[in-house]
Amino acid sequence: MMMNCRSLAVLFSAATLIAVPEIAAAQPATPQAAPANADAVTRADESYRRGLRLYSDKKYVEAEAELQSAWELNPTFDVAYNLGNTKYQLKKYREAAEHLSFALRNWPLVKTVAKLKPTAEQRLAESRAQVGALRVTVSAAGAEVLVDGKAVGRAPLEGEVFVEPGEHRVEARLEGYAPVSQTVKSAKGETADVGLAMVAVKSDAQAAGVKTEGGAGAAGVGAGAPVMGQPPAGPVEPPPKKNWVPVIVLGAASAVGLGVGIGMTVARNSAHDDARSKGEVILRAGGECATPSAMFVKPCQELQSIGSRGATLGDAARVAYIASGALAIAAVTYVLWPRPKATTTERVRALPRVQTGSVGIDVLGAW
């Protein structure tokens, strides 16, 4: 806060009348406001001048009353300086520290008053040694800070809050947040740190789950209806756990199908090799099976039987491969596409099927 021309002129004229006090940094007891109007400034000037005269006559109690009135009307650096000196003379060290620290924080860069600053600092130090101090930090900016029920400013506070030695209750209040408080013990000449973490609270409408955006209140159209995008009220059952038995069954059946297919393929290849060998024998002997002669009828029948068996084995291998792939796809689908309930697939069974002329796998279950 910059000192106005009135304050500077009065301070110059009174500098020789007031003893220079010792100073220590402190937090003002209440938030300071600008004077309301010119009349308030005029009345503050009158009280200020009377206070200076009373102080020079060592009438400190009367001077305190006049300077306190000037402070309440127009809280400027020079009023704080002289009021702090008066409080110091009356041994009201906590209040002296508050006002002297305010004066020092707002000390003007003017050479004429520079010689007064060391005295202010000295008296603040002496006052500070007689009282405790609190360094208060609040997580929510703008919160009102109270010490023992008395407002001392809004967060963030500029400096320390001076208190009498002993226990004190520090509170922080802000609309939309739960009040928070802490009890702290202070000692002479020491500073205690107080950290207040504020937690935001929901409004009644928010707590009831009612949407109030866009001017729609609880009693508006659709009151009591669920709000889109909000979870339903009441407990929500957790999703059922996936049953891995179907995956194991399907995976095992797929493996069996793959094994059967490989076995059938090997058997088919062996039958083809036998048929090729027997055909070569018939050809080398000069025979053929299209219209075989009497001596080649039986070998040709054997060759035809081997070929038929190879074809059957080949068909069975293809069926086994298809079944194995289908079972694998079913297992992967079950894993990636969870179902709310898995009671039906628990009864899935894969059974090998061997019949005359064919081999396969039957998959039984409910889907």
Side-chain angles (χ1 to χ4, degrees):
M1 182 184 299
M2 296 301 295
M3 182 175 61
N4 57 33
C5 295
R6 187 280 308 165
S7 301
L8 189 57
V10 174
L11 180 63
F12 291 161
S13 63
T16 59
L17 300 178
I18 299 182
V20 183
E22 299 173 0
I23 301 180
Q27 172 67 31
T30 57
Q32 306 305 322
N37 48 49
D39 179 63
V41 175
T42 300
R43 289 187 285 116
D45 287 346
E46 294 171 354
S47 295
Y48 181 75
R49 292 176 184 276
R50 288 194 296 268
L52 294 184
R53 288 194 295 270
L54 291 166
Y55 185 95
S56 64
D57 294 337
K58 297 185 179 181
K59 297 179 180 180
Y60 300 124
V61 175
E62 294 85 344
E64 178 188 26
E66 293 291 346
L67 292 171
Q68 185 68 45
S69 177
W71 171 257
E72 293 172 358
L73 290 168
N74 189 19
T76 56
F77 125 86
D78 55 328
V79 178
Y81 170 79
N82 288 289
L83 182 56
N85 287 340
T86 306
K87 300 282 189 181
Y88 173 84
Q89 296 293 348
L90 294 172
K91 300 188 183 330
K92 296 182 178 181
Y93 296 115
R94 184 188 63 80
E95 297 175 49
E98 289 177 355
H99 290 92
L100 291 172
S101 65
F102 177 90
L104 283 173
R105 286 200 306 273
N106 297 277
W107 202 272
L109 300 177
V110 180
K111 290 184 179 180
T112 310
V113 296
K115 62 182 180 180
L116 301 177
K117 192 172 183 179
T119 304
E121 293 172 341
Q122 181 183 353
R123 288 196 172 177
L124 176 56
E126 292 180 6
S127 299
R128 175 67 179 78
Q130 300 300 317
V131 298
L134 306 177
R135 187 182 295 112
V136 183
T137 57
V138 184
S139 61
E144 183 182 33
V145 180
L146 303 93
V147 176
D148 298 329
K150 181 180 179 182
V152 297
R154 291 191 175 274
L157 301 179
E158 291 185 14
E160 297 172 326
V161 179
F162 292 104
V163 294
E164 299 296 339
E167 281 193 350
H168 299 277
R169 182 179 179 82
V170 185
E171 302 175 76
R173 301 174 185 173
L174 182 63
E175 184 177 358
Y177 290 81
V180 61
S181 65
Q182 181 177 335
T183 300
V184 62
K185 181 176 290 186
S186 66
K188 283 186 177 182
E190 296 183 1
T191 300
D193 290 318
V194 181
L196 300 177
M198 305 195 72
V199 179
V201 295
K202 293 182 178 180
S203 65
D204 293 340
Q206 291 173 326
V210 179
K211 185 175 181 181
T212 58
E213 294 180 314
V221 178
V227 180
M228 294 183 62
Q230 294 186 358
V236 178
E237 295 183 2
K241 294 183 178 179
K242 183 180 291 295
N243 190 333
W244 293 101
V245 172
V247 178
I248 296 174
V249 172
L250 292 171
S254 176
V256 171
L258 180 61
V260 171
I262 294 173
M264 294 296 178
T265 300
V266 171
R268 183 204 62 181
N269 293 340
S270 178
H272 285 176
D273 292 341
D274 290 345
R276 187 182 303 109
S277 298
K278 188 168 289 291
E280 291 176 353
V281 170
I282 293 173
L283 291 175
R284 285 197 297 268
E288 51 89 19
C289 292
T291 54
S293 59
M295 65 176 298
F296 292 108
V297 171
K298 186 175 181 180
C300 285
Q301 290 177 344
E302 293 177 353
L303 177 61
Q304 184 178 3
S305 176
I306 294 173
S308 178
R309 186 173 75 249
T312 300
L313 291 172
D315 293 339
R318 282 191 291 274
V319 171
Y321 288 137
I322 293 172
S324 175
L327 291 169
I329 292 173
V332 173
T333 301
Y334 180 85
V335 172
L336 298 180
W337 195 335
R339 300 168 181 265
K341 294 183 179 180
T343 56
T344 56
T345 54
E346 292 176 0
R347 296 191 295 272
V348 174
R349 291 183 296 167
L351 301 176
R353 173 173 53 81
V354 180
Q355 297 178 344
T356 303
S358 66
V359 177
I361 296 177
D362 293 328
V363 179
L364 306 177
W367 300 84

